[in-house]
Amino acid sequence: RHINSAQGAAAMLAVVLADFHFLVYLASFDILGPNDIALIGRIVRDPANSIQLADELLSSSGWQTLLLMLQEASDSDLNHSGQVAGEQATLGAPAAGPTNSGNASAAAASPWACRHCTFVNSPSDDSCDMCALPKD
């Protein structure tokens, strides 16, 4: 959401990229290279040239890869929203069948938090619905 809203305005991009937590989150994906991270620093530090620098960042391969991943994750989220909503509705319901099914099956049927972005995913997902990175 932040990235897409910032594409049209270099000033807004500089404001969004100046958020330390957002910057650390972006860097944690290991999609943007060192040159892209350095360019982000220059955008934040040099508002007078932010339009040129923002154009350079937006056309970089790392940024384009990030946008593609976010678009894919967004499309995946839209496609699975009905399935996830149904699973969330049943999470609080008692399970059918015997209650002594063991810890392994209970863990397999419980939601899991992504180790990369902390998004809580449904038990049936093998990859994160938010960042699209694998479960393990």
Side-chain angles (χ1 to χ4, degrees):
R1 183 181 80 182
H2 287 295
I3 293 172
N4 289 331
S5 68
Q7 282 187 350
M12 181 63 181
L13 182 63
V15 169
V16 170
L17 293 176
D19 180 339
F20 176 75
H21 294 100
F22 181 67
L23 190 55
V24 169
Y25 181 69
L26 273 181
S28 72
F29 283 124
D30 288 331
I31 295 170
L32 301 176
N35 291 338
D36 295 327
I37 300 296
L39 187 56
I40 290 171
R42 290 174 42 212
I43 290 170
V44 172
R45 285 190 318 265
D46 189 4
N49 292 320
S50 64
I51 292 174
Q52 274 182 301
L53 296 171
D55 286 342
E56 187 179 337
L57 177 65
L58 294 176
S59 64
S60 74
S61 63
W63 192 265
Q64 292 300 313
T65 301
L66 179 62
L67 291 177
L68 181 63
M69 285 183 66
L70 292 173
Q71 181 62 46
E72 289 295 320
S74 174
D75 291 346
S76 174
D77 190 37
L78 291 174
N79 291 335
H80 291 94
S81 62
Q83 175 187 358
V84 171
E87 288 173 359
Q88 287 174 345
T90 60
L91 287 178
T99 56
N100 260 347
S101 57
N103 289 340
S105 63
S110 63
W112 57 277
C114 176
R115 64 185 173 102
H116 303 282
C117 71
T118 69
F119 182 77
V120 177
N121 294 278
S122 64
S124 62
D125 290 338
D126 291 329
S127 62
C128 179
D129 279 339
M130 184 61 65
C131 68
L133 293 173
K135 183 177 182 177
D136 295 317

mmCIF file of all heavy atoms in Angstrom, residues 50-85:
data_model
loop_
_atom_site.group_PDB
_atom_site.id
_atom_site.type_symbol
_atom_site.label_atom_id
_atom_site.label_comp_id
_atom_site.label_asym_id
_atom_site.label_seq_id
_atom_site.Cartn_x
_atom_site.Cartn_y
_atom_site.Cartn_z
ATOM 1 N N SER A 50 15.214 14.778 -5.205
ATOM 2 C CA SER A 50 14.434 13.565 -4.949
ATOM 3 C C SER A 50 13.657 13.085 -6.174
ATOM 4 O O SER A 50 13.443 11.887 -6.327
ATOM 5 C CB SER A 50 13.492 13.759 -3.763
ATOM 6 O OG SER A 50 12.540 14.751 -4.034
ATOM 7 N N ILE A 51 13.253 13.989 -7.052
ATOM 8 C CA ILE A 51 12.493 13.556 -8.244
ATOM 9 C C ILE A 51 13.373 12.710 -9.145
ATOM 10 O O ILE A 51 12.979 11.615 -9.564
ATOM 11 C CB ILE A 51 11.918 14.770 -8.994
ATOM 12 C CG1 ILE A 51 10.841 15.429 -8.137
ATOM 13 C CG2 ILE A 51 11.343 14.350 -10.346
ATOM 14 C CD1 ILE A 51 10.296 16.707 -8.710
ATOM 15 N N GLN A 52 14.587 13.186 -9.428
ATOM 16 C CA GLN A 52 15.512 12.419 -10.265
ATOM 17 C C GLN A 52 15.871 11.088 -9.607
ATOM 18 O O GLN A 52 15.881 10.044 -10.258
ATOM 19 C CB GLN A 52 16.807 13.200 -10.489
ATOM 20 C CG GLN A 52 16.778 14.163 -11.635
ATOM 21 C CD GLN A 52 18.138 14.821 -11.745
ATOM 22 O OE1 GLN A 52 18.596 15.458 -10.794
ATOM 23 N NE2 GLN A 52 18.773 14.660 -12.881
ATOM 24 N N LEU A 53 16.197 11.160 -8.328
ATOM 25 C CA LEU A 53 16.603 9.954 -7.608
ATOM 26 C C LEU A 53 15.456 8.957 -7.502
ATOM 27 O O LEU A 53 15.666 7.745 -7.624
ATOM 28 C CB LEU A 53 17.129 10.325 -6.217
ATOM 29 C CG LEU A 53 18.396 11.188 -6.197
ATOM 30 C CD1 LEU A 53 18.681 11.670 -4.780
ATOM 31 C CD2 LEU A 53 19.574 10.425 -6.768
ATOM 32 N N ALA A 54 14.244 9.457 -7.284
ATOM 33 C CA ALA A 54 13.080 8.567 -7.199
ATOM 34 C C ALA A 54 12.841 7.877 -8.530
ATOM 35 O O ALA A 54 12.534 6.677 -8.570
ATOM 36 C CB ALA A 54 11.843 9.351 -6.775
ATOM 37 N N ASP A 55 12.981 8.610 -9.623
ATOM 38 C CA ASP A 55 12.827 7.989 -10.945
ATOM 39 C C ASP A 55 13.854 6.880 -11.154
ATOM 40 O O ASP A 55 13.545 5.816 -11.700
ATOM 41 C CB ASP A 55 12.966 9.036 -12.051
ATOM 42 C CG ASP A 55 11.752 9.940 -12.163
ATOM 43 O OD1 ASP A 55 10.674 9.562 -11.646
ATOM 44 O OD2 ASP A 55 11.885 11.026 -12.770
ATOM 45 N N GLU A 56 15.078 7.131 -10.692
ATOM 46 C CA GLU A 56 16.128 6.125 -10.801
ATOM 47 C C GLU A 56 15.780 4.881 -9.973
ATOM 48 O O GLU A 56 15.939 3.744 -10.431
ATOM 49 C CB GLU A 56 17.461 6.722 -10.343
ATOM 50 C CG GLU A 56 18.646 5.839 -10.563
ATOM 51 C CD GLU A 56 19.951 6.489 -10.118
ATOM 52 O OE1 GLU A 56 20.015 7.736 -10.050
ATOM 53 O OE2 GLU A 56 20.897 5.735 -9.823
ATOM 54 N N LEU A 57 15.286 5.098 -8.755
ATOM 55 C CA LEU A 57 14.907 3.966 -7.901
ATOM 56 C C LEU A 57 13.742 3.192 -8.503
ATOM 57 O O LEU A 57 13.766 1.959 -8.558
ATOM 58 C CB LEU A 57 14.533 4.450 -6.495
ATOM 59 C CG LEU A 57 14.048 3.370 -5.526
ATOM 60 C CD1 LEU A 57 15.164 2.379 -5.231
ATOM 61 C CD2 LEU A 57 13.533 3.990 -4.251
ATOM 62 N N LEU A 58 12.723 3.909 -8.956
ATOM 63 C CA LEU A 58 11.531 3.246 -9.489
ATOM 64 C C LEU A 58 11.827 2.434 -10.745
ATOM 65 O O LEU A 58 11.103 1.489 -11.053
ATOM 66 C CB LEU A 58 10.432 4.271 -9.768
ATOM 67 C CG LEU A 58 9.866 4.979 -8.538
ATOM 68 C CD1 LEU A 58 8.863 6.042 -8.957
ATOM 69 C CD2 LEU A 58 9.245 3.998 -7.575
ATOM 70 N N SER A 59 12.885 2.778 -11.466
ATOM 71 C CA SER A 59 13.231 2.025 -12.669
ATOM 72 C C SER A 59 14.268 0.936 -12.405
ATOM 73 O O SER A 59 14.610 0.178 -13.318
ATOM 74 C CB SER A 59 13.727 2.971 -13.765
ATOM 75 O OG SER A 59 14.913 3.611 -13.365
ATOM 76 N N SER A 60 14.757 0.825 -11.181
ATOM 77 C CA SER A 60 15.763 -0.195 -10.875
ATOM 78 C C SER A 60 15.138 -1.590 -10.894
ATOM 79 O O SER A 60 13.953 -1.769 -10.625
ATOM 80 C CB SER A 60 16.408 0.076 -9.509
ATOM 81 O OG SER A 60 15.515 -0.245 -8.466
ATOM 82 N N SER A 61 15.953 -2.576 -11.193
ATOM 83 C CA SER A 61 15.444 -3.956 -11.268
ATOM 84 C C SER A 61 14.987 -4.460 -9.904
ATOM 85 O O SER A 61 14.005 -5.192 -9.808
ATOM 86 C CB SER A 61 16.496 -4.885 -11.873
ATOM 87 O OG SER A 61 17.639 -4.933 -11.048
ATOM 88 N N GLY A 62 15.688 -4.070 -8.850
ATOM 89 C CA GLY A 62 15.284 -4.494 -7.508
ATOM 90 C C GLY A 62 13.917 -3.960 -7.139
ATOM 91 O O GLY A 62 13.075 -4.679 -6.597
ATOM 92 N N TRP A 63 13.670 -2.684 -7.429
ATOM 93 C CA TRP A 63 12.369 -2.075 -7.122
ATOM 94 C C TRP A 63 11.275 -2.717 -7.962
ATOM 95 O O TRP A 63 10.183 -2.985 -7.474
ATOM 96 C CB TRP A 63 12.429 -0.567 -7.350
ATOM 97 C CG TRP A 63 11.251 0.142 -6.781
ATOM 98 C CD1 TRP A 63 10.113 0.495 -7.454
ATOM 99 C CD2 TRP A 63 11.060 0.552 -5.435
ATOM 100 N NE1 TRP A 63 9.236 1.117 -6.595
ATOM 101 C CE2 TRP A 63 9.804 1.171 -5.351
ATOM 102 C CE3 TRP A 63 11.838 0.475 -4.286
ATOM 103 C CZ2 TRP A 63 9.293 1.694 -4.167
ATOM 104 C CZ3 TRP A 63 11.338 1.004 -3.117
ATOM 105 C CH2 TRP A 63 10.076 1.605 -3.059
ATOM 106 N N GLN A 64 11.560 -2.978 -9.233
ATOM 107 C CA GLN A 64 10.573 -3.613 -10.109
ATOM 108 C C GLN A 64 10.239 -5.021 -9.624
ATOM 109 O O GLN A 64 9.087 -5.447 -9.668
ATOM 110 C CB GLN A 64 11.081 -3.637 -11.560
ATOM 111 C CG GLN A 64 11.167 -2.268 -12.202
ATOM 112 C CD GLN A 64 9.816 -1.578 -12.249
ATOM 113 O OE1 GLN A 64 8.816 -2.171 -12.642
ATOM 114 N NE2 GLN A 64 9.783 -0.321 -11.836
ATOM 115 N N THR A 65 11.244 -5.743 -9.121
ATOM 116 C CA THR A 65 11.010 -7.070 -8.550
ATOM 117 C C THR A 65 10.131 -6.966 -7.313
ATOM 118 O O THR A 65 9.202 -7.754 -7.129
ATOM 119 C CB THR A 65 12.346 -7.748 -8.199
ATOM 120 O OG1 THR A 65 13.135 -7.865 -9.381
ATOM 121 C CG2 THR A 65 12.135 -9.113 -7.574
ATOM 122 N N LEU A 66 10.410 -5.979 -6.461
ATOM 123 C CA LEU A 66 9.601 -5.770 -5.262
ATOM 124 C C LEU A 66 8.151 -5.472 -5.632
ATOM 125 O O LEU A 66 7.226 -6.044 -5.060
ATOM 126 C CB LEU A 66 10.186 -4.631 -4.432
ATOM 127 C CG LEU A 66 9.444 -4.263 -3.153
ATOM 128 C CD1 LEU A 66 9.444 -5.439 -2.186
ATOM 129 C CD2 LEU A 66 10.072 -3.039 -2.511
ATOM 130 N N LEU A 67 7.943 -4.606 -6.605
ATOM 131 C CA LEU A 67 6.579 -4.283 -7.049
ATOM 132 C C LEU A 67 5.867 -5.516 -7.601
ATOM 133 O O LEU A 67 4.677 -5.728 -7.335
ATOM 134 C CB LEU A 67 6.599 -3.176 -8.099
ATOM 135 C CG LEU A 67 6.993 -1.795 -7.599
ATOM 136 C CD1 LEU A 67 7.031 -0.811 -8.771
ATOM 137 C CD2 LEU A 67 6.042 -1.307 -6.531
ATOM 138 N N LEU A 68 6.591 -6.326 -8.368
ATOM 139 C CA LEU A 68 6.005 -7.547 -8.923
ATOM 140 C C LEU A 68 5.596 -8.510 -7.818
ATOM 141 O O LEU A 68 4.496 -9.075 -7.843
ATOM 142 C CB LEU A 68 6.988 -8.221 -9.874
ATOM 143 C CG LEU A 68 6.514 -9.493 -10.550
ATOM 144 C CD1 LEU A 68 5.315 -9.211 -11.444
ATOM 145 C CD2 LEU A 68 7.636 -10.112 -11.360
ATOM 146 N N MET A 69 6.448 -8.673 -6.815
ATOM 147 C CA MET A 69 6.111 -9.559 -5.694
ATOM 148 C C MET A 69 4.895 -9.047 -4.937
ATOM 149 O O MET A 69 4.023 -9.826 -4.557
ATOM 150 C CB MET A 69 7.297 -9.687 -4.739
ATOM 151 C CG MET A 69 8.411 -10.553 -5.248
ATOM 152 S SD MET A 69 9.722 -10.738 -4.040
ATOM 153 C CE MET A 69 8.882 -11.652 -2.762
ATOM 154 N N LEU A 70 4.839 -7.741 -4.718
ATOM 155 C CA LEU A 70 3.688 -7.173 -4.017
ATOM 156 C C LEU A 70 2.410 -7.331 -4.823
ATOM 157 O O LEU A 70 1.350 -7.606 -4.267
ATOM 158 C CB LEU A 70 3.943 -5.701 -3.690
ATOM 159 C CG LEU A 70 5.025 -5.447 -2.655
ATOM 160 C CD1 LEU A 70 5.320 -3.965 -2.538
ATOM 161 C CD2 LEU A 70 4.623 -6.026 -1.311
ATOM 162 N N GLN A 71 2.514 -7.165 -6.139
ATOM 163 C CA GLN A 71 1.343 -7.349 -6.997
ATOM 164 C C GLN A 71 0.869 -8.802 -6.958
ATOM 165 O O GLN A 71 -0.318 -9.073 -6.844
ATOM 166 C CB GLN A 71 1.665 -6.933 -8.439
ATOM 167 C CG GLN A 71 0.497 -7.068 -9.383
ATOM 168 C CD GLN A 71 -0.673 -6.181 -9.007
ATOM 169 O OE1 GLN A 71 -0.485 -5.011 -8.718
ATOM 170 N NE2 GLN A 71 -1.866 -6.720 -9.012
ATOM 171 N N GLU A 72 1.815 -9.728 -7.027
ATOM 172 C CA GLU A 72 1.464 -11.147 -6.971
ATOM 173 C C GLU A 72 0.841 -11.496 -5.625
ATOM 174 O O GLU A 72 -0.136 -12.236 -5.554
ATOM 175 C CB GLU A 72 2.701 -12.019 -7.221
ATOM 176 C CG GLU A 72 3.196 -11.990 -8.646
ATOM 177 C CD GLU A 72 2.203 -12.579 -9.626
ATOM 178 O OE1 GLU A 72 1.564 -13.609 -9.316
ATOM 179 O OE2 GLU A 72 2.040 -12.000 -10.711
ATOM 180 N N ALA A 73 1.403 -10.963 -4.553
ATOM 181 C CA ALA A 73 0.852 -11.228 -3.225
ATOM 182 C C ALA A 73 -0.542 -10.634 -3.105
ATOM 183 O O ALA A 73 -1.436 -11.243 -2.514
ATOM 184 C CB ALA A 73 1.768 -10.663 -2.142
ATOM 185 N N SER A 74 -0.742 -9.467 -3.678
ATOM 186 C CA SER A 74 -2.051 -8.819 -3.650
ATOM 187 C C SER A 74 -3.064 -9.637 -4.436
ATOM 188 O O SER A 74 -4.186 -9.859 -3.983
ATOM 189 C CB SER A 74 -1.945 -7.407 -4.229
ATOM 190 O OG SER A 74 -3.214 -6.829 -4.325
ATOM 191 N N ASP A 75 -2.672 -10.098 -5.623
ATOM 192 C CA ASP A 75 -3.567 -10.931 -6.437
ATOM 193 C C ASP A 75 -3.888 -12.231 -5.718
ATOM 194 O O ASP A 75 -5.025 -12.686 -5.712
ATOM 195 C CB ASP A 75 -2.933 -11.242 -7.796
ATOM 196 C CG ASP A 75 -2.836 -10.019 -8.686
ATOM 197 O OD1 ASP A 75 -3.491 -8.994 -8.382
ATOM 198 O OD2 ASP A 75 -2.091 -10.082 -9.683
ATOM 199 N N SER A 76 -2.880 -12.829 -5.089
ATOM 200 C CA SER A 76 -3.083 -14.063 -4.341
ATOM 201 C C SER A 76 -4.033 -13.839 -3.179
ATOM 202 O O SER A 76 -4.901 -14.652 -2.895
ATOM 203 C CB SER A 76 -1.740 -14.582 -3.830
ATOM 204 O OG SER A 76 -1.930 -15.692 -2.998
ATOM 205 N N ASP A 77 -3.874 -12.705 -2.500
ATOM 206 C CA ASP A 77 -4.738 -12.376 -1.374
ATOM 207 C C ASP A 77 -6.185 -12.228 -1.837
ATOM 208 O O ASP A 77 -7.106 -12.704 -1.185
ATOM 209 C CB ASP A 77 -4.257 -11.091 -0.709
ATOM 210 C CG ASP A 77 -4.961 -10.814 0.599
ATOM 211 O OD1 ASP A 77 -5.243 -11.783 1.326
ATOM 212 O OD2 ASP A 77 -5.234 -9.640 0.888
ATOM 213 N N LEU A 78 -6.382 -11.600 -2.986
ATOM 214 C CA LEU A 78 -7.741 -11.440 -3.511
ATOM 215 C C LEU A 78 -8.344 -12.784 -3.895
ATOM 216 O O LEU A 78 -9.522 -13.031 -3.684
ATOM 217 C CB LEU A 78 -7.736 -10.501 -4.725
ATOM 218 C CG LEU A 78 -7.427 -9.039 -4.432
ATOM 219 C CD1 LEU A 78 -7.320 -8.264 -5.737
ATOM 220 C CD2 LEU A 78 -8.478 -8.427 -3.535
ATOM 221 N N ASN A 79 -7.531 -13.661 -4.462
ATOM 222 C CA ASN A 79 -8.022 -14.970 -4.889
ATOM 223 C C ASN A 79 -8.334 -15.886 -3.716
ATOM 224 O O ASN A 79 -9.185 -16.757 -3.814
ATOM 225 C CB ASN A 79 -7.003 -15.651 -5.808
ATOM 226 C CG ASN A 79 -6.876 -14.956 -7.137
ATOM 227 O OD1 ASN A 79 -7.804 -14.270 -7.586
ATOM 228 N ND2 ASN A 79 -5.733 -15.096 -7.775
ATOM 229 N N HIS A 80 -7.622 -15.706 -2.604
ATOM 230 C CA HIS A 80 -7.807 -16.589 -1.455
ATOM 231 C C HIS A 80 -8.650 -15.967 -0.348
ATOM 232 O O HIS A 80 -8.810 -16.558 0.698
ATOM 233 C CB HIS A 80 -6.445 -16.985 -0.878
ATOM 234 C CG HIS A 80 -5.664 -17.870 -1.776
ATOM 235 N ND1 HIS A 80 -4.746 -17.385 -2.664
ATOM 236 C CD2 HIS A 80 -5.690 -19.217 -1.952
ATOM 237 C CE1 HIS A 80 -4.220 -18.383 -3.343
ATOM 238 N NE2 HIS A 80 -4.762 -19.497 -2.939
ATOM 239 N N SER A 81 -9.185 -14.782 -0.560
ATOM 240 C CA SER A 81 -9.895 -14.102 0.521
ATOM 241 C C SER A 81 -11.112 -14.893 0.993
ATOM 242 O O SER A 81 -11.379 -14.956 2.181
ATOM 243 C CB SER A 81 -10.307 -12.685 0.102
ATOM 244 O OG SER A 81 -11.199 -12.743 -0.994
ATOM 245 N N GLY A 82 -11.834 -15.519 0.101
ATOM 246 C CA GLY A 82 -12.981 -16.317 0.510
ATOM 247 C C GLY A 82 -12.562 -17.535 1.298
ATOM 248 O O GLY A 82 -13.148 -17.871 2.320
ATOM 249 N N GLN A 83 -11.494 -18.191 0.851
ATOM 250 C CA GLN A 83 -10.996 -19.382 1.529
ATOM 251 C C GLN A 83 -10.485 -19.018 2.923
ATOM 252 O O GLN A 83 -10.800 -19.683 3.897
ATOM 253 C CB GLN A 83 -9.864 -20.011 0.713
ATOM 254 C CG GLN A 83 -9.199 -21.186 1.400
ATOM 255 C CD GLN A 83 -7.977 -21.667 0.641
ATOM 256 O OE1 GLN A 83 -7.637 -21.170 -0.414
ATOM 257 N NE2 GLN A 83 -7.307 -22.645 1.205
ATOM 258 N N VAL A 84 -9.714 -17.949 3.032
ATOM 259 C CA VAL A 84 -9.149 -17.539 4.320
ATOM 260 C C VAL A 84 -10.263 -17.105 5.262
ATOM 261 O O VAL A 84 -10.260 -17.441 6.437
ATOM 262 C CB VAL A 84 -8.101 -16.411 4.131
ATOM 263 C CG1 VAL A 84 -7.676 -15.842 5.470
ATOM 264 C CG2 VAL A 84 -6.902 -16.945 3.375
ATOM 265 N N ALA A 85 -11.246 -16.365 4.744
ATOM 266 C CA ALA A 85 -12.358 -15.927 5.587
ATOM 267 C C ALA A 85 -13.093 -17.134 6.155
ATOM 268 O O ALA A 85 -13.469 -17.158 7.325
ATOM 269 C CB ALA A 85 -13.305 -15.038 4.793
#
